[in-house]
Amino acid sequence: MVAFEFKLSSGKPANIMKAAYAYDNAADDLQTAASELRELVRSIPEQTWSANDRERYESNVHEYSLQLDYLHNYLMAVSIALTVVAWALFVYATFATGMAAYLGALAAASAFPPNYAACLPLAATALTVTHVATGILLNSGLAAAAVLGGGAAITADKQGDHGNQFAGDAFKKALANGAKSGAANLLQNAGNAALSFVNRAENPIGTQAKKPIPVKEIDLDYDRDKDGNVSVGGGAKFTAGPVEHELGGHRKYDGSGKYTGTDAEYKAKFGIDPTETHNAVVGGKGDWKPGDWKPDSASGTAGYENARTGHKAGLEGGRKDGGWEGKVNGVGPGGSAELSGSTKKPAKPVDDTPPWDK
């Protein structure tokens, strides 16, 4: 059960922190915009504009600045909530490492018959401590979800009170679209929880035991970008013989529901030593436009993974948007690094200078 809870509680705190930083930067930009907007209005001399419409203009600017303030506060709250979750995951991962070492030592001690009875209550205590730690992590996630959902509702209501007549409808639309993605993720997590429970007795890295069942994970996706484009699909990770396979695909649609293309990805991982501690990884992915059997873009990848330490190194290269691109990356306990290159010419910078300043 301890291994089962560890599996359910796994996550990527680095990615969550990256999102937290993005929200924090967006909040700073909104605060700067609100301050500059107020300052611009205050800088207009009274003698150059003293008509009644100035008061109405200043009132509208004040209301709009308040809308920006409310949105700034919401983004800051989300950033803090995500930071808390990221640190909770990091602390939990540290706890899991220590608990795994403790249970390993306990298992070794219990192998001697005289110690077996004494080890049982210690193992039960370890399970209880794991329950508590997992519960704390769960509650941090629920609190973050409350901040995201409840904060969005409050922010939309406040913006509506200050002149944004579209805030309520935008929130309802976001809620409807988010519910679709949320439903896919909940269904995926429910399936993976069942798979983790079935596979909870899987022997750790360093043994040659067979896996309980072939299917390891499933992936269900319903993603929608800011332009209304939707990607629907999924995938699975499973073992067949000595090889672990991972495959997935998506169908893409634009905002009007028109089919715009398909993507597919495949990866195979196989041990290069009997205990499967050291693994080689190969794979590829591609994108296809409607009615065209030739891929619009395609790439291949090869790499190495250490199942015990978590070290990874990889090389990826292929053709995309009419040019060739590639990257080399590495991941370790201390962080990650990546080096990339492309033959594609950089896009010409967009000139955002207002016409009256050109």
Side-chain angles (χ1 to χ4, degrees), residues 36-301:
E36 290 181 351
L37 187 58
R38 291 187 176 102
E39 184 60 33
L40 283 172
V41 173
R42 285 195 295 264
S43 66
I44 301 175
E46 288 285 344
Q47 62 270 23
T48 61
W49 188 11
S50 58
N52 292 334
D53 55 351
R54 173 170 181 148
E55 294 183 3
R56 291 194 298 269
Y57 176 76
E58 289 179 340
S59 176
N60 288 334
V61 169
H62 175 69
E63 293 293 302
Y64 183 68
S65 297
L66 286 177
Q67 294 179 36
L68 295 180
D69 289 339
Y70 286 125
L71 190 55
H72 160 267
N73 295 339
Y74 170 66
L75 295 185
M76 282 300 301
V78 172
S79 177
I80 294 171
L82 292 178
T83 300
V84 171
V85 172
W87 274 103
L89 277 170
F90 176 76
V91 172
Y92 188 89
T94 304
F95 157 77
T97 302
M99 181 60 73
Y102 172 75
L103 290 175
L106 204 61
S110 66
F112 298 96
N115 300 333
Y116 183 76
C119 289
L120 287 179
L122 296 176
T125 302
L127 179 59
T128 301
V129 172
T130 302
H131 288 335
V132 174
T134 305
I136 294 173
L137 180 63
L138 172 63
N139 285 325
S140 71
L142 292 175
V147 170
L148 267 71
I154 294 172
T155 301
D157 183 63
K158 290 294 186 180
Q159 286 190 326
D161 292 341
H162 291 279
N164 189 346
Q165 58 182 323
F166 304 108
D169 290 338
F171 172 72
K172 293 176 183 177
K173 186 175 181 180
L175 188 64
N177 289 322
K180 296 175 184 177
S181 298
N185 287 329
L186 287 174
L187 185 60
Q188 169 189 305
N189 291 338
N192 284 331
L195 291 172
S196 296
F197 184 79
V198 172
N199 289 324
R200 69 190 185 282
E202 180 178 340
N203 285 6
I205 298 300
T207 70
Q208 299 185 47
K210 293 183 178 180
K211 309 298 186 294
I213 64 172
V215 181
K216 311 303 295 178
E217 293 179 10
I218 61 171
D219 178 36
L220 301 175
D221 297 315
Y222 182 95
D223 300 320
R224 182 180 183 275
D225 66 17
K226 61 182 180 63
D227 298 319
N229 300 312
V230 175
S231 175
V232 183
K237 182 186 292 184
F238 59 94
T239 55
V243 182
E244 180 181 272
H245 305 270
E246 186 174 350
L247 55 85
H250 301 84
R251 287 177 65 87
K252 303 175 184 178
Y253 303 87
D254 63 15
S256 65
K258 180 181 177 182
Y259 170 62
T260 58
T262 301
D263 68 62
E265 183 174 2
Y266 170 76
K267 184 171 73 173
K269 182 171 72 173
F270 52 91
I272 53 180
D273 70 326
T275 62
E276 298 183 0
T277 300
H278 304 280
N279 298 274
V281 180
V282 294
K285 57 184 177 182
D287 289 89
W288 289 264
K289 296 295 184 183
D292 191 356
W293 64 272
K294 294 182 179 179
D296 185 59
S297 66
S299 64
T301 183

